[in-house]
mmCIF file of all heavy atoms in Angstrom:
data_model
loop_
_atom_site.group_PDB
_atom_site.id
_atom_site.type_symbol
_atom_site.label_atom_id
_atom_site.label_comp_id
_atom_site.label_asym_id
_atom_site.label_seq_id
_atom_site.Cartn_x
_atom_site.Cartn_y
_atom_site.Cartn_z
ATOM 1 N N GLY A 76 -5.561 47.052 -10.671
ATOM 2 C CA GLY A 76 -5.013 47.028 -12.025
ATOM 3 C C GLY A 76 -5.043 45.673 -12.705
ATOM 4 O O GLY A 76 -4.527 45.509 -13.811
ATOM 5 N N PHE A 77 -5.658 44.664 -12.053
ATOM 6 C CA PHE A 77 -5.746 43.334 -12.667
ATOM 7 C C PHE A 77 -7.085 43.173 -13.381
ATOM 8 O O PHE A 77 -8.094 43.736 -12.945
ATOM 9 C CB PHE A 77 -5.587 42.247 -11.609
ATOM 10 C CG PHE A 77 -4.148 41.956 -11.273
ATOM 11 C CD1 PHE A 77 -3.391 42.871 -10.571
ATOM 12 C CD2 PHE A 77 -3.558 40.765 -11.693
ATOM 13 C CE1 PHE A 77 -2.060 42.616 -10.284
ATOM 14 C CE2 PHE A 77 -2.235 40.501 -11.405
ATOM 15 C CZ PHE A 77 -1.467 41.431 -10.703
ATOM 16 N N GLN A 78 -7.095 42.387 -14.470
ATOM 17 C CA GLN A 78 -8.335 42.193 -15.245
ATOM 18 C C GLN A 78 -9.351 41.377 -14.455
ATOM 19 O O GLN A 78 -10.563 41.612 -14.515
ATOM 20 C CB GLN A 78 -8.015 41.471 -16.555
ATOM 21 C CG GLN A 78 -7.206 42.302 -17.539
ATOM 22 C CD GLN A 78 -6.407 41.437 -18.499
ATOM 23 O OE1 GLN A 78 -5.603 40.606 -18.071
ATOM 24 N NE2 GLN A 78 -6.661 41.586 -19.790
ATOM 25 N N LEU A 79 -8.854 40.386 -13.722
ATOM 26 C CA LEU A 79 -9.731 39.487 -12.960
ATOM 27 C C LEU A 79 -9.243 39.373 -11.526
ATOM 28 O O LEU A 79 -8.058 39.555 -11.256
ATOM 29 C CB LEU A 79 -9.734 38.105 -13.612
ATOM 30 C CG LEU A 79 -10.413 37.997 -14.985
ATOM 31 C CD1 LEU A 79 -9.963 36.740 -15.703
ATOM 32 C CD2 LEU A 79 -11.924 37.994 -14.826
ATOM 33 N N GLY A 80 -10.203 39.019 -10.631
ATOM 34 C CA GLY A 80 -9.834 38.721 -9.247
ATOM 35 C C GLY A 80 -9.660 37.212 -9.137
ATOM 36 O O GLY A 80 -9.009 36.597 -9.990
ATOM 37 N N ASN A 81 -10.304 36.582 -8.143
ATOM 38 C CA ASN A 81 -10.125 35.144 -7.953
ATOM 39 C C ASN A 81 -11.450 34.412 -7.829
ATOM 40 O O ASN A 81 -11.574 33.445 -7.080
ATOM 41 C CB ASN A 81 -9.266 34.895 -6.705
ATOM 42 C CG ASN A 81 -8.687 33.491 -6.689
ATOM 43 O OD1 ASN A 81 -8.502 32.869 -7.740
ATOM 44 N ND2 ASN A 81 -8.463 32.973 -5.495
ATOM 45 N N SER A 82 -12.453 34.853 -8.596
ATOM 46 C CA SER A 82 -13.747 34.166 -8.538
ATOM 47 C C SER A 82 -13.836 33.063 -9.598
ATOM 48 O O SER A 82 -13.621 33.326 -10.785
ATOM 49 C CB SER A 82 -14.904 35.138 -8.772
ATOM 50 O OG SER A 82 -16.107 34.379 -8.899
ATOM 51 N N PRO A 83 -14.196 31.835 -9.189
ATOM 52 C CA PRO A 83 -14.352 30.756 -10.182
ATOM 53 C C PRO A 83 -15.495 31.037 -11.153
ATOM 54 O O PRO A 83 -15.477 30.588 -12.301
ATOM 55 C CB PRO A 83 -14.662 29.532 -9.317
ATOM 56 C CG PRO A 83 -15.182 30.067 -8.028
ATOM 57 C CD PRO A 83 -14.503 31.384 -7.818
ATOM 58 N N LEU A 84 -16.470 31.834 -10.700
ATOM 59 C CA LEU A 84 -17.656 32.100 -11.522
ATOM 60 C C LEU A 84 -17.314 32.891 -12.784
ATOM 61 O O LEU A 84 -18.020 32.813 -13.788
ATOM 62 C CB LEU A 84 -18.712 32.844 -10.697
ATOM 63 C CG LEU A 84 -19.100 32.199 -9.366
ATOM 64 C CD1 LEU A 84 -20.224 32.960 -8.695
ATOM 65 C CD2 LEU A 84 -19.464 30.733 -9.541
ATOM 66 N N ALA A 85 -16.186 33.618 -12.744
ATOM 67 C CA ALA A 85 -15.796 34.468 -13.882
ATOM 68 C C ALA A 85 -15.522 33.654 -15.144
ATOM 69 O O ALA A 85 -15.565 34.176 -16.257
ATOM 70 C CB ALA A 85 -14.540 35.269 -13.517
ATOM 71 N N TYR A 86 -15.243 32.366 -14.985
ATOM 72 C CA TYR A 86 -14.831 31.541 -16.128
ATOM 73 C C TYR A 86 -15.971 30.696 -16.687
ATOM 74 O O TYR A 86 -15.844 30.128 -17.781
ATOM 75 C CB TYR A 86 -13.662 30.643 -15.701
ATOM 76 C CG TYR A 86 -12.473 31.441 -15.220
ATOM 77 C CD1 TYR A 86 -12.342 31.767 -13.862
ATOM 78 C CD2 TYR A 86 -11.548 31.952 -16.109
ATOM 79 C CE1 TYR A 86 -11.288 32.556 -13.414
ATOM 80 C CE2 TYR A 86 -10.479 32.742 -15.678
ATOM 81 C CZ TYR A 86 -10.374 33.029 -14.331
ATOM 82 O OH TYR A 86 -9.342 33.824 -13.887
ATOM 83 N N LEU A 87 -17.083 30.600 -15.948
ATOM 84 C CA LEU A 87 -18.131 29.648 -16.338
ATOM 85 C C LEU A 87 -18.832 30.020 -17.637
ATOM 86 O O LEU A 87 -19.406 29.155 -18.302
ATOM 87 C CB LEU A 87 -19.139 29.497 -15.192
ATOM 88 C CG LEU A 87 -18.545 29.037 -13.851
ATOM 89 C CD1 LEU A 87 -19.654 28.759 -12.846
ATOM 90 C CD2 LEU A 87 -17.646 27.822 -14.035
ATOM 91 N N SER A 88 -18.729 31.281 -18.028
ATOM 92 C CA SER A 88 -19.399 31.707 -19.270
ATOM 93 C C SER A 88 -18.608 31.272 -20.505
ATOM 94 O O SER A 88 -19.103 31.329 -21.626
ATOM 95 C CB SER A 88 -19.473 33.237 -19.285
ATOM 96 O OG SER A 88 -18.126 33.732 -19.240
ATOM 97 N N GLY A 89 -17.336 30.871 -20.286
ATOM 98 C CA GLY A 89 -16.505 30.445 -21.418
ATOM 99 C C GLY A 89 -15.976 31.611 -22.239
ATOM 100 O O GLY A 89 -15.500 31.432 -23.364
ATOM 101 N N ASP A 90 -16.017 32.812 -21.680
ATOM 102 C CA ASP A 90 -15.587 34.007 -22.434
ATOM 103 C C ASP A 90 -14.095 34.007 -22.747
ATOM 104 O O ASP A 90 -13.635 34.764 -23.597
ATOM 105 C CB ASP A 90 -15.890 35.284 -21.611
ATOM 106 C CG ASP A 90 -17.393 35.570 -21.595
ATOM 107 O OD1 ASP A 90 -18.116 34.866 -22.335
ATOM 108 O OD2 ASP A 90 -17.812 36.446 -20.816
ATOM 109 N N TYR A 91 -13.313 33.155 -22.063
ATOM 110 C CA TYR A 91 -11.856 33.234 -22.221
ATOM 111 C C TYR A 91 -11.286 32.015 -22.951
ATOM 112 O O TYR A 91 -10.120 31.674 -22.781
ATOM 113 C CB TYR A 91 -11.211 33.393 -20.844
ATOM 114 C CG TYR A 91 -11.777 34.568 -20.077
ATOM 115 C CD1 TYR A 91 -12.553 34.376 -18.950
ATOM 116 C CD2 TYR A 91 -11.551 35.868 -20.513
ATOM 117 C CE1 TYR A 91 -13.098 35.457 -18.261
ATOM 118 C CE2 TYR A 91 -12.084 36.955 -19.841
ATOM 119 C CZ TYR A 91 -12.863 36.743 -18.723
ATOM 120 O OH TYR A 91 -13.409 37.819 -18.057
ATOM 121 N N GLN A 92 -12.110 31.425 -23.802
ATOM 122 C CA GLN A 92 -11.685 30.248 -24.560
ATOM 123 C C GLN A 92 -10.315 30.463 -25.205
ATOM 124 O O GLN A 92 -10.092 31.491 -25.861
ATOM 125 C CB GLN A 92 -12.686 29.966 -25.697
ATOM 126 C CG GLN A 92 -13.997 29.384 -25.259
ATOM 127 C CD GLN A 92 -13.899 27.895 -24.901
ATOM 128 O OE1 GLN A 92 -12.953 27.231 -25.321
ATOM 129 N NE2 GLN A 92 -14.842 27.429 -24.099
ATOM 130 N N GLY A 93 -9.403 29.508 -25.004
ATOM 131 C CA GLY A 93 -8.126 29.512 -25.714
ATOM 132 C C GLY A 93 -7.106 30.507 -25.186
ATOM 133 O O GLY A 93 -5.973 30.557 -25.663
ATOM 134 N N GLN A 94 -7.488 31.279 -24.167
ATOM 135 C CA GLN A 94 -6.547 32.280 -23.644
ATOM 136 C C GLN A 94 -5.621 31.659 -22.591
ATOM 137 O O GLN A 94 -5.972 30.672 -21.943
ATOM 138 C CB GLN A 94 -7.306 33.465 -23.050
ATOM 139 C CG GLN A 94 -8.106 34.246 -24.084
ATOM 140 C CD GLN A 94 -8.376 35.665 -23.642
ATOM 141 O OE1 GLN A 94 -7.483 36.355 -23.150
ATOM 142 N NE2 GLN A 94 -9.634 36.082 -23.764
ATOM 143 N N LYS A 95 -4.453 32.264 -22.416
ATOM 144 C CA LYS A 95 -3.512 31.869 -21.360
ATOM 145 C C LYS A 95 -3.724 32.802 -20.173
ATOM 146 O O LYS A 95 -3.980 33.994 -20.365
ATOM 147 C CB LYS A 95 -2.070 31.986 -21.862
ATOM 148 C CG LYS A 95 -1.776 31.091 -23.071
ATOM 149 C CD LYS A 95 -0.313 31.095 -23.441
ATOM 150 C CE LYS A 95 0.111 32.409 -24.059
ATOM 151 N NZ LYS A 95 1.530 32.316 -24.569
ATOM 152 N N LEU A 96 -3.608 32.248 -18.952
ATOM 153 C CA LEU A 96 -3.899 33.026 -17.742
ATOM 154 C C LEU A 96 -2.688 33.041 -16.820
ATOM 155 O O LEU A 96 -2.022 32.001 -16.643
ATOM 156 C CB LEU A 96 -5.087 32.377 -17.018
ATOM 157 C CG LEU A 96 -5.541 32.949 -15.666
ATOM 158 C CD1 LEU A 96 -6.131 34.345 -15.848
ATOM 159 C CD2 LEU A 96 -6.554 32.026 -14.995
ATOM 160 N N ALA A 97 -2.400 34.211 -16.242
ATOM 161 C CA ALA A 97 -1.407 34.295 -15.157
ATOM 162 C C ALA A 97 -2.164 34.687 -13.896
ATOM 163 O O ALA A 97 -3.015 35.585 -13.937
ATOM 164 C CB ALA A 97 -0.343 35.338 -15.482
ATOM 165 N N MET A 98 -1.873 33.965 -12.805
ATOM 166 C CA MET A 98 -2.662 34.134 -11.574
ATOM 167 C C MET A 98 -1.768 34.312 -10.356
ATOM 168 O O MET A 98 -0.741 33.643 -10.244
ATOM 169 C CB MET A 98 -3.411 32.821 -11.322
ATOM 170 C CG MET A 98 -4.900 32.877 -11.396
ATOM 171 S SD MET A 98 -5.538 31.211 -11.125
ATOM 172 C CE MET A 98 -6.339 31.456 -9.577
ATOM 173 N N THR A 99 -2.178 35.209 -9.449
ATOM 174 C CA THR A 99 -1.495 35.307 -8.153
ATOM 175 C C THR A 99 -2.549 35.474 -7.072
ATOM 176 O O THR A 99 -3.518 36.232 -7.247
ATOM 177 C CB THR A 99 -0.476 36.465 -8.109
ATOM 178 O OG1 THR A 99 0.193 36.441 -6.847
ATOM 179 C CG2 THR A 99 -1.124 37.809 -8.344
#
Side-chain angles (χ1 to χ4, degrees):
F77 278 71
Q78 292 155 303
L79 291 162
N81 198 26
S82 172
L84 307 185
Y86 301 91
L87 302 187
S88 60
D90 287 352
Y91 306 111
Q92 286 284 340
Q94 295 203 45
K95 300 187 289 187
L96 176 67
M98 245 178 113
T99 183

